[in-house]
Amino acid sequence: MRGQRRNDVTWLAVVAVSTVIALCPRTAGAQEEASDDTWAAPPLPQPPPERLTLDEALSRADAEAVDLVIARLQVDRTEAAERIAWAGILPLVTGSVSYSRLDESIERAGVGTVRPADSITGQLTISETLSMRAVSQIRIAESESDAARAELDDARRAAHAAIARVFFTALAAQRASELTRAQIADAVRQLRAAQLRVEAGAAIGLDAARAEVAALDAMRRAADADAALERAWDQLGEALGLDVAIEPAPSALPVVPSEEAAIERAQATRSDVRAALVRREQAGRLVDDAWYRFVPSLSLGWVGTLTAPTTIFNPDPAQWVATATLSIPFYDGGARYGALREAQAQVSQSDEFVDGLRRRVRVEIRDARRRIETAERALAIATRQAEIARRAVEQTEEGYRAGANTGLELDAARRDAEQADLQRILAELELDNARVDLLTAVGDL
């Protein structure tokens, strides 16, 4: 329905232009002047100052992309939590100094100083708690840091995939923009040929009007393609975390592996699989932590005090006290059993998640391989169709000049060729995207 509506609008424009030509005929000089001024192909959009290959764009994304910066900061947070966990098994050493000033000292004859007016007291405290749970917290914090690093790698994998798609979309937009220039040149050449045939009496004014509408349509497509190209440059810059547009340089993707090698490598080394395995290990450590709730803990403490000056009640300026406390958990209302059950359930969940993820990896790789094969066939067909459509235009144009074909047939052949060229560019983009998806599924991008 939309295509029919567009054809109706086109034919209305043809009839309108034909009527204007019939009512207001122009001289050859005026036609030539209009051709020079109106049908000059606009220049391609000014490219951005920075041009990057795919490898350069991915390297830039590792440093600038917002998602990766956030993921790196999350790694920093987990490493800080790991350092806090280590503090749970290291001794705690604190010191304090206090100074006291009273209104006057108290002295007793034959006894000495009972209370000095000025006194300084220093205290050093060392405490240590020996607990299996403190050790367990370190192991859990270490696994959390490992998981955060694996998730950073997975965020990098996802970011690279998104950037590669935008990168090749921008390349396709650039090819489409360049293609419109060739289409403008063809349309203008056919317009001038139709005008000359009308002047020679070999064609009617409707042929020239149809050719003029085709030239205007080519100019419109060029403007749309230029806008899409500049938008793609901006999107590439945004994907890289930059405030400027980036022009992509033609780049080749790495060689895609075979299906068996891709599945084997992805299930062993892909970042999200590694992250899931680390989460499974962390769940196992939570089970150990739940069991450690049943284990006693030992707290050791040592407090040393130095007071000056001495008094009859405190003749020794230095004193120390050592303590040892053994805590044995007997009953906590069932919290330990609940924590143990929760940790065991989390282990089961992690196992199911890992199995499901590995199945999904196999499906993603197989689907990407099928898409590549389909896209390769589609590209071969689209390339062949574009070649045939271009030859059909040449043959129809020769027949038109010889009077064997009408202007309507020439216009239809030209439109078929333009559509075939566009389909070829879209088929190239689909093949690039399918390869990006496979490399992403394997973890090689």
Side-chain angles (χ1 to χ4, degrees):
M1 181 66 68
R2 183 180 300 175
Q4 181 64 35
R5 199 179 298 119
R6 183 179 300 174
N7 292 335
D8 294 341
V9 172
T10 303
W11 280 111
L12 287 174
V14 169
V15 172
V17 173
S18 177
T19 304
V20 172
I21 292 175
L23 296 177
C24 302
R26 295 180 295 178
T27 63
Q31 291 179 354
E32 183 177 357
E33 181 180 357
S35 299
D36 293 339
D37 296 338
T38 305
W39 307 117
L44 288 169
Q46 183 66 28
E50 191 168 7
R51 190 169 187 254
L52 299 177
T53 64
L54 179 60
D55 291 338
E56 292 171 342
L58 296 181
S59 299
R60 181 71 66 85
D62 290 341
E64 303 290 346
V66 175
D67 292 342
L68 298 185
V69 172
I70 294 175
R72 278 196 297 272
L73 293 175
Q74 181 63 30
V75 173
D76 293 340
R77 292 181 59 188
T78 58
E79 290 177 348
E82 184 178 344
R83 185 65 186 88
I84 294 173
W86 270 101
I89 65 171
L90 297 177
L92 177 62
V93 181
T94 60
S96 63
V97 177
S98 62
Y99 167 75
S100 299
R101 171 68 178 176
L102 301 176
D103 55 349
E104 61 179 357
S105 63
I106 300 176
E107 304 286 342
R108 293 289 183 266
V111 177
T113 302
V114 177
R115 186 187 69 180
D118 299 294
S119 63
I120 298 177
T121 303
Q123 189 176 73
L124 179 65
T125 303
I126 302 175
S127 61
E128 170 70 17
T129 301
L130 303 179
S131 171
M132 292 302 297
R133 289 207 64 195
V135 177
S136 175
Q137 292 301 314
I138 294 176
R139 298 176 68 239
I140 293 173
E142 289 175 344
S143 64
E144 183 67 29
S145 296
D146 293 338
R149 295 186 189 97
E151 288 168 356
L152 170 60
D153 293 338
D154 194 54
R156 183 181 295 110
R157 181 180 69 93
H160 284 189
I163 290 169
R165 294 188 187 97
V166 176
F167 186 92
F168 287 107
T169 299
L171 285 177
Q174 186 170 344
R175 291 194 295 268
S177 184
E178 294 170 351
L179 175 64
T180 58
R181 269 57 187 182
Q183 293 175 351
I184 290 175
D186 290 342
V188 171
R189 180 174 53 82
Q190 293 177 11
L191 171 60
R192 290 173 177 170
Q195 291 172 344
L196 292 175
R197 287 175 58 83
V198 170
E199 293 177 2
I204 60 176
L206 184 60
D207 291 334
R210 187 183 296 112
E212 189 168 356
V213 169
L216 290 172
D217 189 55
M219 298 288 285
R220 178 191 57 79
R221 288 197 306 273
D224 293 342
D226 291 347
L229 176 58
E230 293 178 330
R231 185 165 56 251
W233 286 341
D234 288 335
Q235 290 173 348
L236 181 56
E238 180 185 5
L240 297 179
L242 304 176
D243 291 332
V244 296
I246 298 295
E247 179 188 8
S251 304
L253 286 167
V255 178
V256 295
S258 62
E259 182 175 319
E260 294 77 10
I263 293 176
E264 181 179 358
R265 186 160 70 250
Q267 290 185 343
T269 63
R270 207 171 92 168
S271 53
D272 56 343
V273 176
R274 288 190 288 108
L277 292 174
V278 173
R279 292 296 183 188
R280 167 60 180 84
E281 181 181 358
Q282 186 180 29
R285 293 181 179 183
L286 289 174
V287 174
D288 296 339
D289 182 71
W291 280 113
Y292 290 150
R293 291 171 180 259
F294 296 87
V295 179
S297 61
L298 177 63
S299 299
L300 303 176
W302 184 89
V303 179
T305 305
L306 180 63
T307 304
T310 59
T311 65
I312 60 174
F313 300 108
N314 187 21
D316 187 1
Q319 299 177 2
W320 61 268
V321 177
T323 60
T325 304
L326 181 65
S327 299
I328 303 174
F330 288 111
Y331 179 72
D332 60 359
R336 292 174 292 180
Y337 298 98
L340 179 60
R341 183 176 179 181
E342 180 184 4
Q344 291 171 341
Q346 189 169 346
V347 169
S348 300
Q349 285 181 331
S350 299
D351 289 336
E352 292 295 328
F353 181 80
V354 170
D355 293 340
L357 180 58
R358 284 174 170 165
R359 287 193 297 270
R360 186 164 69 248
V361 167
R362 289 194 295 269
V363 172
E364 288 179 2
I365 291 176
R366 290 169 181 168
D367 181 66
R369 289 294 309 181
R370 286 191 292 267
R371 286 182 54 203
I372 288 177
E373 294 172 358
T374 302
E376 288 175 343
R377 291 194 297 268
L379 178 58
I381 293 173
T383 302
R384 180 62 176 165
Q385 288 176 333
E387 295 173 353
I388 294 174
R390 183 55 54 188
R391 287 200 302 268
V393 170
E394 296 173 355
Q395 294 171 358
T396 305
E397 187 173 357
E398 292 177 359
Y400 176 73
R401 293 174 180 174
N405 297 113
T406 64
L408 182 61
E409 293 172 335
L410 178 59
D411 183 67
R414 184 185 58 79
R415 291 183 181 275
D416 290 342
E418 292 170 353
Q419 187 65 26
D421 287 335
L422 179 59
Q423 290 299 321
R424 176 179 53 79
I425 293 175
L426 294 177
E428 292 174 353
L429 176 59
E430 181 62 27
L431 178 58
D432 289 333
N433 285 337
R435 288 172 176 168
V436 167
D437 290 343
L438 178 58
L439 293 172
T440 303
V442 178
D444 288 347
L445 189 60

